[in-house]
């Protein structure tokens, strides 16, 4: 199973927008990341999002770019900022046969999910800025079984997107 963990794009402040939707730069950031994912050959059997507006917008941009049906995006509170990572893993177990999964959400839950899959209860600092995506491959959804395949920051996605313009 390939699990892509993606932090939402840059959001507006709560003063600007109480729902904290993506800022114009946040939308552009996620569009570049989605275009790079497409060129990298990514596709998804399942896209899951937190119910918060910035995560939903992030998931929808990726879904549109990769021709994933918007009405099939699963929404779960298990990707909310302070949700326990075990709750998300249990949620995933309900989707048998899905091999390429994108989870769009927030810190600290996304980092905690990644750490649980990679090393159990270890404490590793990860630079998980907005728009960051990492891919973890796991044969089973159990702790310490995952393999970090790659980690791409928004800056790295920007480099890939710029290279695409030249092709």
């Amino acid at each position: 199973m390939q699990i892509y963990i993606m932090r939402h794009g840059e959001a507006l402040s709560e003063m600007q927008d109480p729902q904290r939707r993506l800022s114009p730069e946040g939308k552009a950031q996620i569009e570049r990341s989605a275009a790079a994912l497409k060129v990298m050959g990514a596709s998804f059997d399942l896209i899951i999002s937190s119910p918060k507006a910035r995560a939903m917008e992030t998931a929808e941009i990726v879904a549109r770019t990769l021709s994933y049906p918007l009405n099939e995006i699963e929404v779960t509170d298990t990707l909310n900022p302070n949700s326990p990572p075990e709750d998300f893993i249990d949620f995933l177990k309900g989707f048998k046969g899905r091999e390429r999964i994108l989870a769009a959400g927030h810190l600290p839950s996304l980092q905690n999910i990644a750490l649980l899959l990679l090393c159990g209860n270890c404490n590793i600092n990860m630079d998980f800025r907005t728009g960051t995506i990492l891919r973890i491959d796991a044969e089973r959804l159990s702790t310490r079984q995952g393999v970090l395949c790659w980690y791409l920051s928004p800056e790295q996605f920007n480099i890939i997107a710029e290279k695409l313009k030249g092709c």
Side-chain angles (χ1 to χ4, degrees):
M1 174 181 298
Q2 298 171 357
I3 303 170
Y4 295 76
I5 299 174
M6 182 175 198
R7 185 169 176 209
H8 61 78
E10 181 184 308
L12 296 167
S13 72
E14 198 167 351
M15 282 183 57
Q16 293 172 303
D17 176 12
Q19 290 188 11
R20 300 218 46 225
R21 291 179 184 89
L22 293 178
S23 67
E25 176 51 39
K27 288 179 184 177
Q29 176 186 56
I30 298 305
E31 288 167 355
R32 289 188 299 269
S33 297
L37 282 172
K38 185 173 183 175
V39 168
M40 293 167 65
S43 64
F44 301 109
D45 304 308
L46 178 62
I47 294 179
I48 306 169
S49 176
S50 150
K52 294 190 181 292
R54 56 197 179 275
M56 285 293 302
E57 286 179 290
T58 296
E60 289 169 357
I61 290 168
V62 173
R64 272 193 300 277
T65 303
L66 298 178
S67 301
Y68 183 91
L70 295 179
N71 63 338
E72 292 183 20
I73 295 173
E74 292 288 333
V75 179
T76 177
D77 288 331
T78 65
L79 287 173
N80 279 336
N82 293 307
S83 296
E86 297 85 2
D87 290 358
F88 177 71
I89 300 301
D90 289 343
F91 179 79
L92 269 186
K93 289 177 181 176
F95 295 94
K96 303 284 186 214
R98 308 292 177 98
E99 293 298 318
R100 295 174 317 278
I101 299 163
L102 173 74
H106 317 270
L107 290 181
S109 66
L110 291 181
Q111 179 167 320
N112 293 336
I113 291 165
L115 293 176
L116 183 65
L117 288 170
L118 294 171
C119 57
N121 291 324
C122 63
N123 188 13
I124 299 171
N125 289 329
M126 300 175 81
D127 186 13
F128 223 123
R129 287 170 280 159
T130 56
T132 295
I133 306 175
L134 59 89
R135 180 179 138 192
I136 296 173
D137 286 3
E139 288 184 35
R140 294 178 307 207
L141 287 174
S142 56
T143 62
R144 300 182 190 189
Q145 298 295 314
V147 175
L148 178 62
C149 292
W150 51 259
Y151 161 98
L152 292 171
S153 69
E155 292 79 16
Q156 292 163 321
F157 277 120
N158 288 345
I159 292 168
I160 294 168
E162 285 301 314
K163 294 287 183 189
L164 294 176
K165 288 181 183 176
C167 294

